[in-house]
Amino acid sequence: MKLKILVAAGDGIGPEVTNEAVAVLKEVAQLGGHTLELDARRIGGVAIVQDGTPLPADTLAAALDSDAVLLGAVGGNEFNSLAPDKRPEAGLLAIRAALGGFANLRPAFAFKELAVNSPLRPEIIDGADILFVRELLGGLYFGKPREWNRMSGEAWNTMRYTRGEVVRVARVAFKLAQGRRKKLTSVDKANVLEVSQLWRATVIEVAAEFPDVTLEHQYVDAMSMHLMNQPRSYDVVLTENLFGDILSDESAVITGSLGMLPSATIGGKINLYEPVHGSAPDIAGKGLANPLGAILTGALILRHSGELEAEAAAIEASVRKVLEQGFRTPDLARSNPQGFKVLSTIEMGTKVRETVKTLLVSA
Ligand code: NAD
Ligand code: IPM
Ligand code: MN
């Protein structure tokens, strides 16, 4: 198996966590006799500084010429006063649009080993296993017109969806639900927004193609509460771009940290893989970042772009094992009343790499 991966580590903790994900991928590839062709390129703030643009042409070309793109994170406080189209985040949105993936899969499940690290009680989160399907190329992020008119003191963005955009992402979500517990919750704000009324009507239409999947609808405000009260009630959660952004970060509480969440974006020309978290300027450069979300993102590359299910599962099992052994990064350990062994980013990555080696060699 040969896999060409474009690595765009980006800013802040992006490079720190991406290094660990790449090291684990290399280990797995070497053990299985697979060839990984890795190409590193700039994106985000680092590219603004060095190339004058958040998405340099060579990065985009290399991405379009790869089998999969692994992205770390973009963004930094020094860019906060720039207009949206000049910021590091614009590079991320541009690469998402160019690669074409519209279905962003954000799994959030409660590792039982982390139950003690969650602010939610173990009996609430125990067994929670949610797959968010976030529409990634529509809604407020890409809708036009958009402007901040300083003369008039007005600003506007446009939340826009076409029926076709909803149909295609809904089909992905229903298919995934068929392979899971066959329940789909569609989240909208159809009590207020026309866009959400189109969303809901279209999801109901698509549901007819999947009679074995139970469909329910929730308004986004209520959903944000239900997620914390009864996370086990949800299987696949389908929602539009901004609502999905917000709810997936919220679901980090179920897992214990935002640093645990991976994502994969499918449906386009080339799949894009990114941990859910951002560049975390507050902890960047200190070895404090949790690399497990990035490492689990690496597992998703093997599963969705490499068809290496056993290897993907081995990475996930290694993460679980390392947690079982009581190793934690500071975000998980918090004030550490349990006395966990607290590791740096590199130490945690190394633990997972050593564990995956043991698992694959003994398999
Ligand atoms: P963030 O996700 O970077 O951080 C939120 C909080 O979670 C911070 O306290 C941070 O320290 C913590 N955190 C995040 N990832 C962690 C990890 N792996 N290990 C330990 N702790 C972790 O969000 P933010 O602070 O709101 O945004 C910072 C910058 O990142 C902004 O410029 C934002 O636009 C950008 N951002 C980028 C992406 C991306 O590139 N995919 C995603 C989200 C935010
Ligand atoms: C995410 C991030 C991005 C988003 C930003 C940085 C553009 O928050 O991937 O969740 O809103 O999609
Ligand atoms: Mn986000």
Side-chain angles (χ1 to χ4, degrees):
M1 171 91 217
K2 191 173 152 206
L3 207 54
K4 197 166 167 184
I5 304 177
L6 188 273
V7 181
D11 307 317
I13 64 167
E16 298 172 52
V17 298
T18 306
N19 278 343
E20 299 313 311
V22 166
V24 171
L25 284 173
K26 277 186 177 162
E27 184 75 57
V28 169
Q30 204 204 334
L31 288 168
H34 306 292
T35 309
L36 278 193
E37 229 179 81
L38 298 159
D39 183 9
R41 303 280 169 154
R42 287 189 286 272
I43 194 166
V46 65
I48 294 178
V49 172
Q50 297 202 37
D51 311 280
T53 167
L55 179 59
D58 69 292
T59 302
L60 179 58
L64 288 168
D65 188 40
S66 68
D67 299 315
V69 176
L70 172 62
L71 200 139
V74 299
N77 295 332
E78 61 273 43
F79 307 103
N80 284 349
S81 57
L82 298 178
D85 64 338
K86 302 276 184 293
R87 294 173 56 110
E89 291 85 347
L92 174 59
L93 297 176
I95 202 169
R96 283 179 182 169
L99 298 180
F102 54 83
N104 179 215
L105 316 185
R106 298 189 158 190
F109 51 90
F111 282 92
K112 78 173 174 347
E113 296 77 12
L114 291 181
V116 289
N117 301 111
S118 171
L120 298 179
R121 288 202 307 277
E123 70 270 26
I124 302 277
I125 55 171
D126 184 32
D129 176 2
I130 306 174
L131 177 60
F132 288 89
V133 179
R134 170 191 179 196
E135 201 293 325
L136 205 64
L137 293 185
L140 280 167
Y141 282 67
F142 292 94
K144 291 198 173 108
R146 55 182 298 162
E147 188 182 335
W148 177 7
N149 188 320
R150 286 171 172 76
M151 294 292 287
S152 66
E154 284 172 281
W156 53 91
N157 290 93
T158 304
M159 188 189 265
R160 177 179 180 276
Y161 271 103
T162 64
R163 182 182 163 281
E165 285 170 326
V166 184
V167 167
R168 65 182 187 175
V169 74
R171 284 199 177 124
V172 169
F174 275 105
K175 274 192 202 124
L176 288 164
Q178 280 183 322
R180 294 171 48 103
R181 300 192 304 280
K182 299 189 171 53
K183 180 174 172 190
L184 190 143
T185 305
S186 174
V187 178
D188 61 39
K189 188 73 188 172
N191 50 346
V192 177
L193 304 174
E194 286 79 359
V195 183
S196 283
Q197 292 182 330
L198 166 83
W199 180 278
R200 190 177 285 214
T202 308
V203 172
I204 290 172
E205 232 181 85
V206 174
E209 299 168 26
F210 303 88
D212 54 330
V213 177
T214 306
L215 169 66
E216 70 163 27
H217 307 274
Q218 291 289 348
Y219 297 128
V220 62
D221 49 353
M223 185 65 182
S224 70
M225 174 197 62
H226 293 319
L227 264 179
M228 295 296 98
N229 267 334
Q230 45 179 51
R232 272 182 308 202
S233 312
Y234 302 102
D235 179 12
V236 174
V237 175
L238 167 66
T239 190
E240 67 88 47
N241 206 342
L242 181 66
F243 298 163
D245 178 43
I246 297 168
L247 294 181
S248 58
D249 266 34
E250 189 193 13
S251 74
V253 180
I254 299 166
T255 312
S257 167
L258 187 49
M260 291 300 298
L261 300 184
S263 94
T265 304
I266 62 170
K269 290 195 276 273
I270 288 150
N271 292 349
L272 170 65
Y273 299 86
E274 354 168 18
V276 170
H277 64 76
S279 57
D282 53 337
I283 58 165
K286 298 179 182 159
L288 297 174
N290 182 347
L292 296 177
I295 289 171
L296 292 168
T297 300
L300 295 182
I301 300 183
L302 299 183
R303 174 167 298 133
H304 294 284
S305 291
E307 285 163 28
L308 296 171
E309 177 54 38
E311 285 81 353
I315 294 179
E316 290 162 351
S318 304
V319 167
R320 198 175 283 278
K321 199 153 190 189
V322 165
L323 296 171
E324 218 174 76
Q325 291 165 347
F327 297 110
R328 299 287 188 273
T329 41
D331 55 314
L332 292 167
R334 296 165 189 255
S335 61
N336 202 14
Q338 301 89 352
F340 287 120
K341 289 159 257 181
V342 179
L343 303 185
S344 70
T345 309
I346 293 176
E347 287 168 341
M348 181 56 103
T350 306
K351 280 276 173 233
V352 176
R353 193 153 42 81
E354 286 166 354
T355 309
V356 85
K357 195 169 173 179
T358 331
L359 285 187
L360 287 174
V361 168
S362 65

